[in-house]
Amino acid sequence: MTVDRTQPANSFVGSAIERIEDLRFLRGKGQYVDDVNPAGLLHAVIVRSPIAHGRIRGVDCAAALARPGVHAVITATDIGAVPTIPLRQEQLDVFRPFEQPVIAVGKVRYVGEPVAVVVAETAADAEDAAEAVTIDLEELPVIANCEASAGSGTLLFGTASNLAGTLTAVKGDADAAFRAAAYRRREQFKVQRHTAVPMEPRGLVAEWQDGRLTLFGAAKVPFPNRRILAQQLRIADDAVRMVENDVGGGFGVRGEFYPEDFLIPCAARLVGRPVKWIEDRREHLIATNHARDVSCTLEIACSRDGAILALRGHAKADVGAYLRTNGATGARNTAQILSGPYRVPNIRMEVSLHLTNKTPVGTYRGPGRFEADFFRERLFDMAAGDLGIDRVEFRRRNLIAECEMPYALAKVVELDLDTATDSGDYRSTFERCLTEIGWAAKAPLQGEMVDGRYHGTAIGCYFEGGASGPREHARLVLENDGRVSVHVGSSANGQGLETAFAQIAADALEIPMERIRGVFHGSTDLLPQGFGTYSSRSIVMGGSAIAAAAAKLRDMIRAAAAQRLGCKPRDVDIVEDGARARDDGLGFVPLSEIAKAGLVADGAFASPHRTYSYGAHAAHVAVDPATGHVEVLDYVAVEDVGRIINPGMLHGQAIGAIVQGLGGAFLEHLAYDEHGQLLTGSLADYLMPSASDFSGVRAIALEEKPAPHNPLGAKGAGEGGIIPVGGVIANAVAAALRPLGVEPRELPLSPPRLWEMIEKARQQRRMGSS
């Protein structure tokens, strides 16, 4: 597809327009799900399993039911035929036995699994009653990690093993390449379990009226979730209305289908009144999807001049106790995206999905890609050192060239899934990043101690696969006041979607942004169908659907105006607030008059092609060997996103994603003990970055290579900032501590862990010298 790069009459697209939705947020006028309070509202609290693995012998609700204000205590017995949560992605038959029931039946398999729902007049009443529910549990052996999952005689399900399945990505013949290679190296790496922690935790308000359900609190994928819920409730899809309120962050975990998405509507139907449930922070950390938690054995084969011949490896993903809607997505990406933006002709990567007694996993910004980049970039620095090749030059030689586009990546065999890069000049962003970080000037600092701290730098490259299909829908309505309402199937989770879509619509219609009445998104009563927001798809898919609808609406406006002006539609110009005959001054018709024709334009955009934004990150760090503390002195990101819709919002996305990545590299860890108990279940223990932790972060966005497969030329860019951070930071720390022989192979690089690595290296040196 050829992308038209000519400037429209307006130029809102490409302008750093302030977010229009922020005005209501800053004034306290946003409406989040906890702001929804229908008449007769009751409150729900989930009673959760206190142990990681056990057989349910009984649930005694009598004391809870006797407490003041309690209307119901609901268990699996009250529900009857308990449905399971189906897979939304990676729908392999081998995964289906491990789908999660919406409430525990017979067994509990992780701390936090729902066992009962208490419904009461107030949240406090429900909390008090929940403490009075007694669960009689027979404790069973706990599978605390992948090693125990593979080697234990304990089975979580009635299956032959605790292996949920394996995903294998293949390109060429890796085994043959390794046999012929002059250089080979194998290493083991690990990325810890952590997850997204949005400012607003999950919440729901369910209300029934005349056999129809309205569910407030929908996010991310309301239409797919409506289909799941309607099937579980045994009602028609159109009997369920999912309402997307303002959302205080998502990052992949918010908006997937969870047990509560069934339990709260079920409770409201049983008690005959609206029911609200709001997740607290501890619930979030034990019940919302976890992520990452992958160990990997990875091998590289090269020629003596540093050309990469093959990558081969096996990773173990701890997916927790069940496979929820997208629980295999991270594993799929780790397998398929392992090679990144580099020319690797031969690949074989297996990722096995192991069941354990932990909270199930899902997607978190850059799922599987953050892990794969850490594994690959660490191994690249090691290989370059072995070969005596500068690590910058090693990457430069192996980057995919622009003339090789589209470049095929490995195929995921079990899913029959192929993909290929779309466009890009990977060398350009790489060289720009080197310049911006001042690589040449900082090169002499590698491993040098300055004022008691070791200094090091690193650079790494990445790409971000975005714009997942299959399609998206939009509807533009010319309202009676002459303004245009934009309805779209994409969902907003705090990323500024309303502003970006208003810019796209205003440019496509060639009207001022003030003529856009509003952007209405996500909710299932806006459109017949929608697909939501995930995998950095909203701008490409939703924006292109809006552009298609706008083209239709322009034609409708011209046709309606031509009838009134007595001319042909092609002789009508749409101007700021109406339509005018182009040549002979026959007149003007305001849009408010044209609106009487009832103009509504539907548009859709479908594409099987993913977009691949790309870039390079570089870091300069200083490591205090006495404490293990790492200061990020400078961090630079350069990315090319095809076409920038709003530079200001893109910059915020990039900086935020980088800081999230730094949190994962240094701080965040969902740590469990051998009994399957979460040790970091509050923000006092689960450490997160603050505004002052990483102040030296810079991001530069380019639009040199537009996407060839959508009319905007845009590429998904919401996740790229996080993807390379772990690898870049670990390599910078390794470069700083090279005099001590420290080679980090695991995240997070927290001060205590890094201090232990430094002390271990010192002890080994002392033993060697003695």
Side-chain angles (χ1 to χ4, degrees):
M1 178 185 295
T2 300
V3 179
D4 183 4
R5 311 308 299 168
T6 58
Q7 288 287 350
N10 300 327
S11 293
F12 296 119
V13 168
S15 299
I17 293 169
E18 293 185 358
R19 292 174 23 139
I20 57 179
E21 51 266 71
D22 284 356
L23 188 60
R24 71 174 185 271
F25 297 147
L26 293 171
R27 292 177 172 179
K29 295 184 181 298
Q31 188 180 60
Y32 298 89
V33 64
D34 200 19
D35 297 318
V36 177
N37 295 295
L41 181 67
L42 299 175
H43 296 263
V45 166
I46 310 297
V47 180
R48 302 183 183 277
S49 172
I51 66 171
H53 194 199
R55 188 170 289 110
I56 302 173
R57 294 188 290 211
V59 182
D60 186 351
C61 305
L65 286 166
R67 294 195 63 88
V70 175
H71 285 253
V73 180
I74 302 162
T75 67
T77 302
D78 302 297
I79 294 171
V82 174
T84 60
I85 300 171
L87 298 164
R88 182 173 66 81
Q89 299 186 163
E90 293 81 42
Q91 297 175 350
L92 295 177
D93 288 340
V94 69
F95 293 152
R96 297 190 191 281
F98 312 112
E99 293 176 352
Q100 180 173 0
V102 296
I103 196 166
V105 180
K107 285 180 72 174
V108 293
R109 295 181 173 89
Y110 66 96
V111 173
E113 183 167 3
V115 177
V117 184
V118 177
V119 182
E121 286 289 337
T122 68
D125 289 341
E127 290 278 3
D128 290 343
E131 293 182 1
V133 175
T134 301
I135 310 171
D136 184 7
L137 291 167
E138 175 192 349
E139 291 200 44
L140 297 173
V142 171
I143 299 171
N145 50 49
C146 287
E147 290 70 27
S149 177
S152 172
T154 300
L155 297 176
L156 295 190
F157 295 85
T159 52
S161 74
N162 295 312
L163 179 66
T166 299
L167 297 176
T168 308
V170 175
K171 180 179 179 180
D173 188 340
D175 291 345
F178 269 87
R179 285 193 297 268
Y183 168 82
R184 297 179 295 274
R185 180 161 179 168
R186 174 189 294 183
E187 287 290 341
Q188 291 184 323
F189 305 104
K190 182 174 175 57
V191 173
Q192 83 282 15
R193 195 179 196 88
H194 57 291
T195 191
V197 186
M199 292 180 67
E200 181 199 24
R202 294 180 296 140
L204 298 164
V205 175
E207 183 175 21
W208 289 85
Q209 188 170 12
D210 299 327
R212 301 178 67 84
L213 168 68
T214 297
L215 185 62
F216 300 91
K220 187 177 179 179
V221 283
F223 282 87
N225 284 356
R226 179 180 70 167
R227 288 192 291 273
I228 294 172
L229 182 57
Q231 184 176 17
Q232 292 176 337
L233 294 169
R234 297 184 176 88
I235 59 178
D237 285 7
D238 60 7
V240 179
R241 174 180 171 236
M242 308 283 276
V243 178
E244 182 177 278
N245 303 90
D246 288 324
V247 177
F251 311 114
V253 303
R254 179 82 182 272
E256 289 295 335
F257 200 99
Y258 289 92
E260 297 84 3
D261 291 283
F262 171 86
L263 293 174
I264 302 309
C266 177
R269 183 159 66 173
L270 287 173
V271 300
R273 285 171 61 178
V275 174
K276 174 188 284 190
W277 167 74
I278 301 296
E279 180 182 65
D280 64 30
R281 187 57 69 188
R282 174 160 176 78
E283 275 188 299
H284 175 84
L285 290 171
I286 66 170
T288 298
N289 285 342
H290 291 181
R292 315 298 193 217
D293 204 354
V294 180
S295 60
C296 179
T297 299
L298 186 61
E299 298 177 273
I300 188 170
C302 299
S303 62
R304 283 296 176 192
D305 63 358
I308 301 171
L309 304 177
L311 288 172
R312 181 173 64 185
H314 183 197
K316 296 179 180 179
D318 184 336
V319 298
Y322 299 98
L323 275 175
R324 294 209 278 229
T325 53
N326 58 2
T329 300
R332 181 203 74 198
N333 285 339
T334 297
Q336 188 167 45
I337 309 300
L338 176 70
S339 58
Y342 300 97
R343 185 186 307 102
V344 183
N346 301 287
I347 301 167
R348 183 176 181 84
M349 182 66 187
E350 296 179 352
V351 183
S352 52
L353 289 75
H354 295 264
L355 297 158
T356 65
N357 291 121
K358 296 177 185 173
T359 301
V361 304
T363 55
Y364 167 39
R365 202 173 200 170
R369 304 181 185 109
F370 177 91
E371 301 94 301
D373 269 52
F374 171 71
F375 304 149
R376 181 190 68 241
E377 296 294 329
R378 280 298 292 125
L379 188 56
F380 278 11
D381 264 26
M382 294 174 177
D386 289 347
L387 292 166
I389 301 172
D390 179 79
R391 53 202 171 129
V392 168
E393 182 58 28
F394 182 86
R395 287 170 172 81
R396 187 180 282 130
R397 293 178 188 180
N398 287 289
L399 282 171
I400 299 166
E402 185 176 5
C403 64
E404 296 175 274
M405 301 290 175
Y407 188 85
L409 304 181
K411 176 180 182 176
V412 182
V413 176
E414 294 81 2
L415 298 168
D416 193 26
L417 182 63
D418 291 293
T419 189
T421 61
D422 52 353
S423 64
D425 183 350
Y426 298 167
R427 179 77 173 266
S428 174
T429 51
F430 181 68
E431 300 296 343
R432 177 71 179 273
C433 191
L434 289 168
T435 299
E436 293 292 337
I437 195 74
W439 187 270
K442 292 176 178 178
L445 288 173
Q446 304 301 319
E448 291 296 314
M449 182 173 278
V450 180
D451 296 330
R453 298 188 300 175
Y454 288 103
H455 285 244
T457 60
I459 188 167
C461 302
Y462 75 98
F463 57 42
E464 174 193 352
S468 291
R471 60 188 177 277
E472 194 52 89
H473 297 262
R475 173 175 292 167
L476 270 58
V477 180
L478 184 60
E479 304 288 358
N480 291 333
D481 62 359
R483 294 188 296 168
V484 176
S485 293
V486 178
H487 298 191
V488 65
S490 303
S491 296
N493 55 23
Q495 77 274 48
L497 178 148
E498 293 175 27
T499 302
F501 281 173
Q503 291 176 257
I504 292 169
D507 266 7
L509 292 168
E510 296 187 9
I511 61 175
M513 276 187 66
E514 291 75 17
R515 306 298 296 182
I516 303 297
R517 176 174 170 265
V519 175
F520 306 94
H521 44 79
S523 300
T524 59
D525 56 352
L526 299 176
L527 292 164
Q529 192 175 33
F531 288 82
T533 293
Y534 55 93
S535 190
S536 299
R537 72 186 304 273
S538 293
I539 289 295
V540 174
M541 304 303 292
S544 296
I546 289 169
K552 291 183 180 179
L553 185 59
R554 285 179 60 82
D555 290 343
M556 291 178 177
I557 291 172
R558 284 195 177 101
Q563 285 187 334
R564 289 164 172 77
L565 295 170
C567 63
K568 295 180 179 180
R570 66 171 179 266
D571 295 326
V572 173
D573 286 330
I574 299 173
V575 294
E576 180 173 326
D577 55 354
R580 188 184 304 278
R582 182 169 301 153
D583 295 324
D584 52 8
L586 292 177
F588 168 83
V589 183
L591 287 174
S592 56
E593 181 67 23
I594 297 172
K596 294 177 180 178
L599 302 188
V600 177
D602 285 344
F605 178 73
S607 174
H609 301 288
R610 305 204 76 185
T611 64
Y612 282 87
S613 57
Y614 58 93
H617 287 200
H620 175 200
V621 303
V623 184
D624 185 343
T627 64
H629 179 263
V630 180
E631 182 181 359
V632 179
L633 300 173
D634 195 8
Y635 195 103
V636 174
V638 178
E639 63 178 340
D640 192 307
V641 302
R643 187 183 184 192
I644 301 171
I645 305 301
N646 186 310
M649 294 198 306
L650 175 63
H651 186 262
Q653 287 273 337
I655 297 295
I658 292 167
V659 172
Q660 279 186 311
L662 291 169
F666 289 117
L667 301 170
E668 301 180 49
H669 190 188
L670 290 163
Y672 281 80
D673 67 13
E674 69 274 18
H675 304 295
Q677 294 290 335
L678 180 64
L679 302 177
T680 51
S682 76
L683 295 186
D685 302 302
Y686 186 85
L687 303 180
M688 297 186 66
S690 64
S692 61
D693 286 334
F694 305 113
S695 57
V697 177
R698 297 179 283 147
I700 298 162
L702 309 177
E703 47 183 351
E704 295 177 347
K705 303 297 175 182
H709 301 299
N710 70 77
L712 298 174
K715 299 184 178 187
E719 301 173 77
I722 199 172
I723 291 172
V725 177
V728 169
I729 287 297
N731 280 337
V733 169
L737 297 179
R738 192 145 292 137
L740 302 180
V742 174
E743 288 280 10
R745 291 172 172 84
E746 295 186 16
L747 296 179
L749 295 174
S750 61
R753 174 175 286 185
L754 195 53
W755 180 83
E756 288 179 2
M757 294 170 61
I758 293 169
E759 284 302 300
K760 183 178 179 180
R762 283 172 167 165
Q763 289 175 10
Q764 290 174 342
R765 290 198 164 213
R766 285 195 292 268
M767 291 175 61
S769 62
S770 63

